[in-house]
Amino acid sequence: ALEEARDRELVRSTLDAMVGFALSRAGLGALLADPAGKDLASRLVAFALDRDASGCDDDIQEQALVILARFVQRAGEGLLKPVIFSTLRGSKTLAEAFHTALSNPEENLRCAAYECLEVVVRSAWGAAEICTREKLVQRVSDASVEAEPSAASWRHKCACSLLATARSIAEGEAAADARVVEIVTPLVPTLQAAVKAGPYGSGGQARVESEAV
């Protein structure tokens, strides 16, 4: 038990140290240019998205998801994509990894997963990957899956970002091959309806406010 506690603290310390690299693109670029740095980034991806392989608990996965969101946001188009795909290769797809994280009963972990997903789907490659799993798109589009304000808000933010990128793909503004366009375009109406419905669904905010009185 003591050794396990020490391992957890070591992981936490490593994750804390990685936050500094996420503060600037230059720092992140320097990290990924170094083989040891790429290995650290790969471990971060595993903690965030491949829990079966990393063996981490909810708290560590939640922390890793938030840091990964910052990494992807700072990295810009495609810089972190190879690390993510190489880490998950042979285990699960990116969409499967997010779907698993969003199925966790812990609300804080789901919020962290939504936060990370929201950043990923801002890019054409991220949205394309997510749209290959219909169940994940359905979850992001379904207001009934999240009742608590924080999770409901993050789910809706994901829907908004995914819609924006899906539209750009469907309308030819974002570079994507024909297969991706074929997958993404039919999902636009579903995402439009989800965004229009808001975080709680049509009339949902009224019900929440009524219950709070």
Side-chain angles (χ1 to χ4, degrees):
L2 180 59
E3 183 178 349
E4 182 178 341
R6 286 174 177 168
D7 288 344
R8 292 182 74 243
E9 286 307 310
L10 178 60
V11 170
R12 287 183 180 280
S13 297
T14 301
L15 291 175
D16 288 339
M18 296 183 78
V19 173
F21 290 104
L23 296 179
S24 72
R25 181 167 184 176
L28 187 54
L31 176 72
L32 296 177
D34 182 82
K38 281 187 178 180
D39 182 61
L40 280 175
S42 181
R43 290 183 66 190
L44 172 64
V45 173
F47 286 135
L49 297 173
D50 196 357
R51 186 162 171 171
D52 291 338
S54 66
C56 67
D57 59 21
D58 284 351
D59 290 342
I60 289 175
Q61 185 178 15
E62 178 186 340
Q63 184 181 2
L65 281 162
V66 172
I67 296 172
L68 182 59
R70 295 178 186 175
F71 267 46
V72 175
Q73 186 173 15
R74 294 290 185 186
E77 183 67 31
L79 186 58
L80 206 60
K81 175 183 173 182
V83 178
I84 293 174
F85 285 174
S86 64
T87 302
L88 296 178
R89 184 180 296 122
S91 174
K92 58 185 69 179
T93 66
L94 183 61
E96 288 169 343
F98 272 114
H99 190 265
T100 298
L102 291 173
S103 300
N104 191 290
E106 292 296 326
E107 182 192 358
N108 287 343
L109 194 151
R110 294 199 309 278
C111 286
Y114 282 123
E115 180 178 353
C116 189
L117 178 61
E118 190 273 330
V119 176
V120 168
V121 299
R122 294 178 195 175
S123 64
W125 68 265
E129 283 295 317
I130 297 312
C131 287
T132 60
R133 188 168 181 84
E134 186 178 352
K135 287 184 179 180
L136 181 54
V137 177
Q138 289 175 348
R139 184 183 182 92
V140 170
S141 304
D142 185 0
S144 69
V145 300
E146 300 292 358
E148 296 301 320
S150 183
S153 177
W154 273 116
R155 181 206 60 78
H156 187 250
K157 286 179 182 178
C158 282
C160 291
S161 293
L162 185 54
L163 171 61
T165 309
R167 270 178 171 166
S168 69
I169 292 173
E171 294 170 4
E173 296 175 3
D177 61 34
R179 183 188 67 86
V180 171
V181 174
E182 186 178 348
I183 292 172
V184 170
T185 301
L187 299 174
V188 170
T190 299
L191 292 166
Q192 285 177 322
V195 170
K196 184 177 180 179
Y200 304 100
S202 299
Q205 182 62 54
R207 289 197 299 273
V208 171
E209 291 174 351
S210 176
E211 291 171 0
V213 174

